Amino acid sequence: MAKIVKKYRRIWRVGAVVLAGALLTGAGSAWWRAAHWEPSAKAYPVQGAWLDQRHDARTVLTLAEGGADGAPLVRFLYATASIGASGRNDRFAEERERAGRSGLPVGAVHVFDPCVPADRQSANFVTLVPRDGDLLPPAVRLDATGEDCPRPVRAAEVESELVTFLNQIEAHTGRRAILAPSAAFEEAYGFGGRSRRPLWLTQDRAEPAYAGGNWTIWTANSALSLPQLDMSVGWLVMRSDPAEEAG
């Protein structure tokens, strides 16, 4: 009897190892597919990338010239320039200059902080983003809510400061801003759906339906891995030709 029990224990252990290996292999395969998924170029011909503080001008150069025979990998770029009242990407000017030399339209992203007054955030933005008619419209990333603040901020206050901030940066750039609310921000405030500004929506591998689903820019893969780059980028789709958005 003891021998039979030992035999089945060995069988169970082997089976458990095989099952664990299969699960890990399946999870790894799913991760790889997600990390390398790109939307169809035929269905979505205008594709670009969003760079954050990890990237630099070398990333811009690779995206501009890293394709076959030096062809660009993207049609346009957005780069995070400012975050709240004091966060900043000190590489933004270099990235903008490198994109310009490569002929890639580029735009600036500000990450809005609902805990900080609008005046301080717009002051941070305008020190980094010049008045330049060749830039794409500025984009405002909306992730955090007033409930995330040390002292919770009411919805009416968040909206008031956001409107003030948008008016200030639009006066500076001379362009109407693009709103980039997360699904959670939109659920909390519904601001994007009520605004008449163009929307930048996010949902990996499927067109987003929140905020009415009427997007101008779509983050189709928030962390795309490309063989030409040593770190992932946000992969974007734009409905229109970026040349029409610039200037």
Side-chain angles (χ1 to χ4, degrees), residues 5 9 11 36 40 59 66 83 96 113 115 134 165 167 174-175 178 189 199 202 217 226 228 238:
V5 170
R9 281 178 179 171
I11 293 173
H36 293 82
S40 162
T59 307
I83 303 168
R96 180 175 64 86
D113 185 348
C115 312
D134 290 332
F165 173 78
N167 289 337
R175 310 294 303 277
I178 296 175
Y189 301 113
L199 297 178
T202 298
I217 298 175
L226 292 172
Q228 298 90 340
M238 185 182 288

Side-chain angles (χ1 to χ4, degrees), residues 42-244:
K42 183 176 181 180
Y44 304 101
V46 183
Q47 300 191 17
W50 175 18
L51 310 183
D52 59 29
Q53 303 93 294
R54 301 170 303 151
H55 304 102
D56 55 27
R58 290 174 299 175
T59 307
V60 176
L61 179 61
T62 300
L63 291 169
E65 303 177 7
D69 299 321
L73 297 172
V74 293
R75 295 275 301 277
F76 68 98
L77 291 171
Y78 267 91
T80 298
S82 53
I83 303 168
S86 58
R88 56 182 58 198
N89 176 12
D90 293 325
R91 297 168 174 170
F92 176 74
E94 185 183 7
E95 292 169 350
R96 180 175 64 86
E97 190 272 338
R98 176 68 262 187
R101 278 195 281 141
S102 298
L104 279 181
V106 63
V109 176
H110 174 83
V111 181
F112 184 77
D113 185 348
C115 312
V116 179
D119 290 347
R120 291 170 56 193
Q121 298 196 59
S122 60
N124 189 27
F125 178 86
V126 302
T127 61
L128 291 163
V129 182
R131 290 186 176 95
D132 183 348
D134 290 332
L135 287 174
L136 293 170
V140 181
R141 184 67 199 171
L142 304 169
D143 287 313
T145 70
E147 295 300 317
D148 301 319
C149 300
R151 177 190 66 81
V153 179
R154 294 178 303 164
E157 294 178 77
V158 172
E159 183 165 333
S160 175
E161 291 298 317
L162 176 55
V163 169
T164 298
F165 173 78
L166 290 168
N167 289 337
Q168 289 169 337
I169 68 165
E170 288 172 346
H172 171 72
T173 61
R175 310 294 303 277
R176 197 154 180 79
I178 296 175
L179 297 181
S182 67
F185 187 95
E186 190 64 16
E187 182 178 2
Y189 301 113
F191 186 81
R194 291 185 282 108
S195 175
R196 295 185 178 181
R197 292 176 173 87
L199 297 178
W200 172 347
L201 304 180
T202 298
Q203 182 166 304
D204 287 352
R205 303 183 67 181
E207 283 198 40
Y210 68 94
N214 186 23
W215 52 269
T216 296
I217 298 175
W218 164 33
T219 301
N221 191 332
S222 54
L224 175 68
S225 294
L226 292 172
Q228 298 90 340
L229 299 175
D230 58 6
M231 62 183 69
S232 63
V233 295
W235 201 252
L236 311 177
V237 170
M238 185 182 288
R239 284 200 190 275
S240 59
D241 188 326
E244 298 174 2

